[in-house]
mmCIF file of all heavy atoms in Angstrom:
data_model
loop_
_atom_site.group_PDB
_atom_site.id
_atom_site.type_symbol
_atom_site.label_atom_id
_atom_site.label_comp_id
_atom_site.label_asym_id
_atom_site.label_seq_id
_atom_site.Cartn_x
_atom_site.Cartn_y
_atom_site.Cartn_z
ATOM 1 N N SER F 1131 83.016 223.949 190.021
ATOM 2 C CA SER F 1131 81.661 223.399 190.085
ATOM 3 C C SER F 1131 80.647 224.196 189.269
ATOM 4 O O SER F 1131 79.586 223.681 188.918
ATOM 5 C CB SER F 1131 81.190 223.341 191.544
ATOM 6 O OG SER F 1131 82.035 222.526 192.314
ATOM 7 N N GLY F 1132 80.969 225.445 188.959
ATOM 8 C CA GLY F 1132 80.046 226.278 188.198
ATOM 9 C C GLY F 1132 80.525 226.500 186.777
ATOM 10 O O GLY F 1132 80.006 225.918 185.824
ATOM 11 N N ILE F 1133 81.549 227.341 186.612
ATOM 12 C CA ILE F 1133 82.001 227.746 185.276
ATOM 13 C C ILE F 1133 82.508 226.553 184.471
ATOM 14 O O ILE F 1133 82.120 226.352 183.316
ATOM 15 C CB ILE F 1133 83.096 228.821 185.393
ATOM 16 C CG1 ILE F 1133 82.552 230.061 186.124
ATOM 17 C CG2 ILE F 1133 83.624 229.199 184.020
ATOM 18 C CD1 ILE F 1133 83.606 231.087 186.472
ATOM 19 N N GLU F 1134 83.392 225.740 185.088
ATOM 20 C CA GLU F 1134 83.973 224.613 184.356
ATOM 21 C C GLU F 1134 82.909 223.578 183.999
ATOM 22 O O GLU F 1134 82.838 223.107 182.859
ATOM 23 C CB GLU F 1134 85.074 223.967 185.187
ATOM 24 C CG GLU F 1134 85.754 222.798 184.491
ATOM 25 C CD GLU F 1134 86.946 222.253 185.288
ATOM 26 O OE1 GLU F 1134 87.359 222.909 186.265
ATOM 27 O OE2 GLU F 1134 87.441 221.173 184.919
ATOM 28 N N ARG F 1135 82.054 223.233 184.946
ATOM 29 C CA ARG F 1135 81.044 222.198 184.703
ATOM 30 C C ARG F 1135 80.051 222.636 183.633
ATOM 31 O O ARG F 1135 79.718 221.872 182.725
ATOM 32 C CB ARG F 1135 80.314 221.883 186.009
ATOM 33 C CG ARG F 1135 79.240 220.808 185.873
ATOM 34 C CD ARG F 1135 78.640 220.462 187.210
ATOM 35 N NE ARG F 1135 79.626 219.873 188.110
ATOM 36 C CZ ARG F 1135 79.379 219.574 189.387
ATOM 37 N NH1 ARG F 1135 78.191 219.841 189.909
ATOM 38 N NH2 ARG F 1135 80.318 219.028 190.128
ATOM 39 N N VAL F 1136 79.578 223.871 183.728
ATOM 40 C CA VAL F 1136 78.602 224.362 182.750
ATOM 41 C C VAL F 1136 79.230 224.474 181.362
ATOM 42 O O VAL F 1136 78.607 224.141 180.348
ATOM 43 C CB VAL F 1136 78.031 225.727 183.207
ATOM 44 C CG1 VAL F 1136 77.221 226.389 182.097
ATOM 45 C CG2 VAL F 1136 77.163 225.549 184.444
ATOM 46 N N SER F 1137 80.492 224.927 181.293
ATOM 47 C CA SER F 1137 81.168 225.053 180.000
ATOM 48 C C SER F 1137 81.329 223.702 179.327
ATOM 49 O O SER F 1137 81.191 223.581 178.100
ATOM 50 C CB SER F 1137 82.539 225.718 180.182
ATOM 51 O OG SER F 1137 82.411 227.031 180.676
ATOM 52 N N LYS F 1138 81.631 222.660 180.115
ATOM 53 C CA LYS F 1138 81.803 221.327 179.550
ATOM 54 C C LYS F 1138 80.495 220.788 178.965
ATOM 55 O O LYS F 1138 80.511 219.926 178.069
ATOM 56 C CB LYS F 1138 82.319 220.359 180.617
ATOM 57 C CG LYS F 1138 83.796 220.519 180.936
ATOM 58 C CD LYS F 1138 84.236 219.511 181.986
ATOM 59 C CE LYS F 1138 85.740 219.573 182.240
ATOM 60 N NZ LYS F 1138 86.170 218.616 183.282
ATOM 61 N N ILE F 1139 79.365 221.283 179.460
ATOM 62 C CA ILE F 1139 78.068 220.874 178.916
ATOM 63 C C ILE F 1139 77.677 221.736 177.723
ATOM 64 O O ILE F 1139 77.292 221.234 176.666
ATOM 65 C CB ILE F 1139 76.978 220.971 180.009
ATOM 66 C CG1 ILE F 1139 77.272 219.989 181.144
ATOM 67 C CG2 ILE F 1139 75.595 220.706 179.409
ATOM 68 C CD1 ILE F 1139 76.388 220.180 182.362
ATOM 69 N N LEU F 1140 77.796 223.047 177.887
ATOM 70 C CA LEU F 1140 77.273 223.960 176.876
ATOM 71 C C LEU F 1140 78.117 224.004 175.605
ATOM 72 O O LEU F 1140 77.573 224.138 174.499
ATOM 73 C CB LEU F 1140 77.154 225.374 177.456
ATOM 74 C CG LEU F 1140 76.105 225.572 178.552
ATOM 75 C CD1 LEU F 1140 76.034 227.033 178.959
ATOM 76 C CD2 LEU F 1140 74.732 225.090 178.097
ATOM 77 N N MET F 1141 79.433 223.916 175.720
ATOM 78 C CA MET F 1141 80.272 224.034 174.521
ATOM 79 C C MET F 1141 80.045 222.889 173.529
ATOM 80 O O MET F 1141 79.925 223.131 172.322
ATOM 81 C CB MET F 1141 81.739 224.149 174.910
ATOM 82 C CG MET F 1141 82.108 225.501 175.524
ATOM 83 S SD MET F 1141 81.769 226.889 174.421
ATOM 84 C CE MET F 1141 83.038 226.631 173.173
ATOM 85 N N PRO F 1142 79.974 221.628 173.969
ATOM 86 C CA PRO F 1142 79.633 220.572 172.998
ATOM 87 C C PRO F 1142 78.253 220.768 172.375
ATOM 88 O O PRO F 1142 78.071 220.507 171.179
ATOM 89 C CB PRO F 1142 79.686 219.286 173.843
ATOM 90 C CG PRO F 1142 80.612 219.607 174.956
ATOM 91 C CD PRO F 1142 80.348 221.048 175.281
ATOM 92 N N VAL F 1143 77.281 221.213 173.173
ATOM 93 C CA VAL F 1143 75.944 221.485 172.628
ATOM 94 C C VAL F 1143 76.021 222.574 171.567
ATOM 95 O O VAL F 1143 75.402 222.485 170.499
ATOM 96 C CB VAL F 1143 74.976 221.897 173.757
ATOM 97 C CG1 VAL F 1143 73.633 222.347 173.180
ATOM 98 C CG2 VAL F 1143 74.759 220.746 174.730
ATOM 99 N N LEU F 1144 76.804 223.620 171.853
ATOM 100 C CA LEU F 1144 76.983 224.713 170.895
ATOM 101 C C LEU F 1144 77.525 224.182 169.568
ATOM 102 O O LEU F 1144 77.015 224.530 168.493
ATOM 103 C CB LEU F 1144 77.931 225.750 171.486
ATOM 104 C CG LEU F 1144 78.240 227.009 170.652
ATOM 105 C CD1 LEU F 1144 78.471 228.209 171.567
ATOM 106 C CD2 LEU F 1144 79.490 226.815 169.785
ATOM 107 N N PHE F 1145 78.543 223.344 169.626
ATOM 108 C CA PHE F 1145 79.133 222.812 168.395
ATOM 109 C C PHE F 1145 78.148 221.923 167.638
ATOM 110 O O PHE F 1145 78.071 221.974 166.398
ATOM 111 C CB PHE F 1145 80.414 222.031 168.706
ATOM 112 C CG PHE F 1145 81.648 222.870 168.711
ATOM 113 C CD1 PHE F 1145 82.184 223.345 169.887
ATOM 114 C CD2 PHE F 1145 82.271 223.208 167.511
ATOM 115 C CE1 PHE F 1145 83.329 224.137 169.893
ATOM 116 C CE2 PHE F 1145 83.420 223.996 167.497
ATOM 117 C CZ PHE F 1145 83.939 224.456 168.689
ATOM 118 N N LEU F 1146 77.379 221.110 168.345
ATOM 119 C CA LEU F 1146 76.412 220.233 167.679
ATOM 120 C C LEU F 1146 75.346 221.039 166.949
ATOM 121 O O LEU F 1146 74.998 220.742 165.792
ATOM 122 C CB LEU F 1146 75.758 219.292 168.708
ATOM 123 C CG LEU F 1146 76.645 218.173 169.259
ATOM 124 C CD1 LEU F 1146 75.922 217.421 170.372
ATOM 125 C CD2 LEU F 1146 77.041 217.205 168.139
ATOM 126 N N ILE F 1147 74.812 222.078 167.608
ATOM 127 C CA ILE F 1147 73.807 222.916 166.962
ATOM 128 C C ILE F 1147 74.405 223.636 165.764
ATOM 129 O O ILE F 1147 73.792 223.710 164.691
ATOM 130 C CB ILE F 1147 73.233 223.934 167.969
ATOM 131 C CG1 ILE F 1147 72.467 223.226 169.095
ATOM 132 C CG2 ILE F 1147 72.298 224.931 167.263
ATOM 133 C CD1 ILE F 1147 72.003 224.167 170.202
ATOM 134 N N LEU F 1148 75.607 224.138 165.930
ATOM 135 C CA LEU F 1148 76.252 224.886 164.855
ATOM 136 C C LEU F 1148 76.508 223.989 163.639
ATOM 137 O O LEU F 1148 76.266 224.391 162.489
ATOM 138 C CB LEU F 1148 77.563 225.485 165.362
ATOM 139 C CG LEU F 1148 78.266 226.529 164.482
ATOM 140 C CD1 LEU F 1148 77.306 227.619 164.050
ATOM 141 C CD2 LEU F 1148 79.443 227.130 165.242
ATOM 142 N N LEU F 1149 76.964 222.772 163.878
ATOM 143 C CA LEU F 1149 77.205 221.846 162.768
ATOM 144 C C LEU F 1149 75.908 221.489 162.049
ATOM 145 O O LEU F 1149 75.884 221.365 160.813
ATOM 146 C CB LEU F 1149 77.896 220.579 163.287
ATOM 147 C CG LEU F 1149 79.359 220.741 163.715
ATOM 148 C CD1 LEU F 1149 79.855 219.484 164.416
ATOM 149 C CD2 LEU F 1149 80.246 221.053 162.504
ATOM 150 N N ALA F 1150 74.824 221.333 162.805
ATOM 151 C CA ALA F 1150 73.527 221.051 162.181
ATOM 152 C C ALA F 1150 73.075 222.225 161.310
ATOM 153 O O ALA F 1150 72.549 222.033 160.208
ATOM 154 C CB ALA F 1150 72.486 220.763 163.258
ATOM 155 N N LEU F 1151 73.292 223.443 161.783
ATOM 156 C CA LEU F 1151 72.926 224.627 161.010
ATOM 157 C C LEU F 1151 73.784 224.755 159.747
ATOM 158 O O LEU F 1151 73.290 225.143 158.686
ATOM 159 C CB LEU F 1151 73.070 225.879 161.873
ATOM 160 C CG LEU F 1151 72.028 226.050 162.982
ATOM 161 C CD1 LEU F 1151 72.451 227.166 163.936
ATOM 162 C CD2 LEU F 1151 70.661 226.372 162.384
ATOM 163 N N VAL F 1152 75.069 224.424 159.870
ATOM 164 C CA VAL F 1152 75.949 224.455 158.695
ATOM 165 C C VAL F 1152 75.460 223.460 157.648
ATOM 166 O O VAL F 1152 75.363 223.786 156.448
ATOM 167 C CB VAL F 1152 77.408 224.150 159.090
ATOM 168 C CG1 VAL F 1152 78.269 223.920 157.841
ATOM 169 C CG2 VAL F 1152 77.994 225.278 159.926
ATOM 170 N N ALA F 1153 75.151 222.245 158.089
ATOM 171 C CA ALA F 1153 74.680 221.219 157.156
ATOM 172 C C ALA F 1153 73.411 221.662 156.448
ATOM 173 O O ALA F 1153 73.260 221.480 155.240
ATOM 174 C CB ALA F 1153 74.446 219.908 157.909
ATOM 175 N N ARG F 1154 72.488 222.276 157.191
ATOM 176 C CA ARG F 1154 71.224 222.726 156.570
ATOM 177 C C ARG F 1154 71.468 223.876 155.602
ATOM 178 O O ARG F 1154 70.923 223.905 154.495
ATOM 179 C CB ARG F 1154 70.231 223.168 157.659
ATOM 180 C CG ARG F 1154 68.855 223.550 157.082
ATOM 181 C CD ARG F 1154 68.185 222.309 156.528
ATOM 182 N NE ARG F 1154 67.001 222.616 155.733
ATOM 183 C CZ ARG F 1154 66.982 222.699 154.410
ATOM 184 N NH1 ARG F 1154 68.110 222.539 153.724
ATOM 185 N NH2 ARG F 1154 65.877 222.931 153.746
ATOM 186 N N SER F 1155 72.277 224.825 156.016
ATOM 187 C CA SER F 1155 72.522 226.010 155.194
ATOM 188 C C SER F 1155 73.193 225.638 153.876
ATOM 189 O O SER F 1155 72.820 226.130 152.801
ATOM 190 C CB SER F 1155 73.391 227.005 155.957
ATOM 191 O OG SER F 1155 73.697 228.133 155.180
#
């Protein structure tokens, strides 16, 4: 309910932000 649930939310967000930064850079 804590680690697994939060990871499933944060990891996709991390990848989306990272891909946006790669595209800009």
Side-chain angles (χ1 to χ4, degrees):
S1131 300
I1133 300 171
E1134 181 174 349
R1135 180 175 296 175
V1136 169
S1137 297
K1138 284 181 175 179
I1139 296 170
L1140 292 184
M1141 288 301 290
V1143 173
L1144 181 148
F1145 271 98
L1146 288 174
I1147 295 174
L1148 192 50
L1149 289 171
L1151 289 168
V1152 169
R1154 184 67 191 98
S1155 177

